[in-house]
Amino acid sequence: MPDAPTKSMEEIVSLCRRRGFIFQSSEIYGGINGFWDYGPLGTELKRNLKNAWWQDIVRNELIGPFGDPVQIVGLDSSIIMNPKVWVASGHVGGFNDPMVDCRESKARYRADHLMVLGAAEDGARLYAFIDNDTEQRAKAEKILLKYERREVLDAARHFVRAFTTLNADERARCVGPDAKEPGTLTEPRQFNLMFKTNVGAIEDPANAAYLRPETAQGIFANFDNVINSTRVRVPFGIAQIGKAFRNEVTPRNFTFRSREFEQMELEFFIRPDQAAQWYAWWRDQRFAWWQSIGLTSDNLQLREHDRDELAHYAKVGAGTSDIEYKFPFTSPGFGELEGVAHRGEFDLRQHAEHSGKNDKAKYFDQEKNERYFPHVIEPSAGADRGTLALLCEAYTKDESRPSGVFMKFHPRMAPVKAGIFPLVNKDGMPEIAERLHRELRKRHMCEYDPKQTIGKRYARMDEAGTPFCITIDSETLSAHTVTVRHRDTQLQEKMHIEAVSAWLDAQVG
Ligand code: GAP
């Protein structure tokens, strides 16, 4: 049996709902599978993540692997594009997942996410379960052992295999994860993940269009526009943050696999002979970035892809790696936060061929007087998965606190940077606290809270992950000091009220 995860996803989801980080979309109508809404705290958290990405990718001057400043510009392209874009990119033909339906339970599964447990005996039943789902696996083991009148699994007799390896006879003997009878799972069928819509008043196949499944193609389609409207020259990057949509067969694990989500993508255009250096540099840069915003535990890992895992656009033989996080629902395994891929010249060449405008997708090197397709290194991250990783990492149990738990966000990511409290609601303390709040909120998200005991106010801020609480007390009246309480250590320090603003600037970045 795999190790039990140390944090409970159920508790994290419950806190997210109770404190307004994440709600189910359209909850009052029973929700809609694969769609989520961010509440007041969640909106700030996700915005901090996206702002940090934009700040550190587009606004900060990075120094690249050859010692020169890295040029990156921004883009905000449309969600619906000419459908020919998606033919050229390979998404119409190849953006498919294998899908399996259960005729008995009516449930639908990703065929490549199903495993089967069976016995090495002709004609015996096989039991399917979803990979990494420890509960389902335990259920399959229990039924199999009961059926065989055995106590424990026997490595020589029992096996676990991927569902996709079963032949027709084995499928007929396989019991689905939510079924009682064998043979109710259909043969895997390919299912295109793009959401289709109709542009204009007339519903006609000629007017069909797609919601973008990645933001990247908006960047490739604007490659020539950006070069002609700016002074960027290879090597340079175009960055974009925006929504993407995928009609996932089985959205699950909270926001991890959603049907609507946000991506933070960078397409970095380089000379083909410099691909290895830029790839390694971006991979390491991106891994260090996730650490810099608080994913410092060994729950974060960098994994180079095996050759047979490469996406259709990835260049064979070149690097592709995933930055992964060990979520409570993937533990002891990891789930992808960001992919760093060497896409070669695939996309620009495809758009050149499909649009017939070769010159618009090729780069003209004025110094060398030659035209070529630049290669692309693509760090592509998920803002929702990133936010989920921040939530899971921050969730910290502490029975000694009234809240029983606190959210240990990096101060740069914390939705609320400081709570400002009058110790009591008299002697002019509320007025001083409100004045300080008005001053600090000009630059930082801060919350003024005059209600309940100070202990209860600390507890609320602990659950929100607020790194500092600033209390106006009797010494503020006599000595102009405030009491600053630190979330992680619960230690308190006195500070002159005039020093608070500059001190907070320095703490939260
Ligand atoms: N342009 C390349 C690309 O789209 P991807 O690995 O399919 O690559 C990039 O997606 C990132 O987008 C992933 O690492 C993940 O963080 C996020 N992502 C992809 N599918 C998602 C989904 N269904 N729900 C939430 N995030 C998703």
Side-chain angles (χ1 to χ4, degrees), residues 2 23 25 29 46 51 109 121 149 151 226 335 340 480 503:
F23 308 122
S25 166
Y29 291 103
K46 190 173 166 191
N51 285 350
Y109 309 98
E121 189 180 277
R149 295 172 196 272
E151 292 296 315
V226 171
V340 182
H480 305 290
W503 173 83

Side-chain angles (χ1 to χ4, degrees), residues 9-28:
M9 203 55 216
E10 218 177 317
E11 287 173 9
I12 294 173
V13 172
S14 153
L15 180 133
C16 281
R17 185 169 186 278
R18 185 161 45 81
R19 291 309 315 269
F21 282 99
I22 300 174
F23 308 122
Q24 200 183 3
S25 166
S26 352
E27 196 184 280
I28 54 166

Side-chain angles (χ1 to χ4, degrees), residues 61-72 234-236 266 268-271 273-286 377:
E61 192 173 83
L62 297 163
I63 300 298
F66 301 101
D68 300 318
V70 177
Q71 316 167 72
I72 299 178
V234 168
F236 76 96
L266 169 68
F268 197 77
F269 302 94
I270 50 170
R271 272 177 25 203
D273 61 329
Q274 295 184 338
Q277 291 95 323
W278 278 110
Y279 164 72
W281 186 82
W282 273 116
R283 181 198 58 201
D284 298 346
Q285 190 77 24
R286 296 302 306 142
I377 305 296

Side-chain angles (χ1 to χ4, degrees), residues 214 246 248 256 258 261 263 265 336-337 378 380 382:
E214 61 172 14
R246 296 182 189 176
E248 296 283 356
F256 182 82
S258 312
F261 54 95
Q263 290 187 314
E265 296 204 292
E336 177 187 331
L337 276 188
E378 177 195 66
S380 169

Side-chain angles (χ1 to χ4, degrees), residues 116-142:
V116 291
L117 175 70
E121 189 180 277
D122 267 356
R125 281 188 179 184
L126 308 166
Y127 295 90
F129 60 92
I130 295 173
D131 199 12
N132 279 329
D133 187 325
T134 39
E135 240 174 69
Q136 275 204 357
R137 186 186 167 132
K139 187 177 133 201
E141 284 177 7
K142 202 170 147 197

Side-chain angles (χ1 to χ4, degrees), residues 394-410:
Y395 188 87
T396 312
K397 285 207 162 191
D398 182 353
E399 296 305 335
S400 72
R401 299 183 188 221
S403 55
V405 68
F406 69 106
M407 298 298 280
K408 202 174 174 178
F409 294 120
H410 187 288

Side-chain angles (χ1 to χ4, degrees), residues 232-357:
V232 289
R233 294 293 170 258
V234 168
F236 76 96
I238 305 179
Q240 166 154 242
I241 299 180
K243 291 266 187 180
F245 302 81
R246 296 182 189 176
N247 200 358
E248 296 283 356
V249 177
T250 48
R252 64 195 180 111
N253 290 331
F254 204 21
T255 57
F256 182 82
R257 193 174 302 285
S258 312
R259 288 177 165 142
E260 174 179 339
F261 54 95
E262 255 178 302
Q263 290 187 314
M264 308 185 289
E265 296 204 292
L266 169 68
E267 307 303 325
F268 197 77
F269 302 94
I270 50 170
R271 272 177 25 203
D273 61 329
Q274 295 184 338
Q277 291 95 323
W278 278 110
Y279 164 72
W281 186 82
W282 273 116
R283 181 198 58 201
D284 298 346
Q285 190 77 24
R286 296 302 306 142
F287 187 74
W289 184 80
W290 287 106
Q291 289 179 314
S292 79
I293 57 164
L295 301 187
T296 48
S297 69
D298 54 13
N299 288 336
L300 191 74
Q301 76 169 19
L302 185 68
R303 188 178 66 81
E304 288 282 343
H305 273 210
D306 298 333
R307 245 182 118 86
D308 58 2
E309 277 184 87
L310 295 181
H312 66 272
Y313 48 73
K315 201 168 158 50
V316 174
T320 295
S321 48
D322 284 345
I323 298 169
E324 301 180 324
Y325 186 76
K326 196 199 286 176
F327 293 94
F329 49 80
T330 58
S331 178
F334 288 74
E336 177 187 331
L337 276 188
E338 169 163 357
V340 182
H342 175 198
R343 291 180 79 121
E345 59 183 38
F346 177 85
D347 303 272
L348 291 179
R349 182 179 281 282
Q350 287 292 102
H351 288 304
E353 284 170 10
H354 284 253
S355 67
K357 294 178 179 138

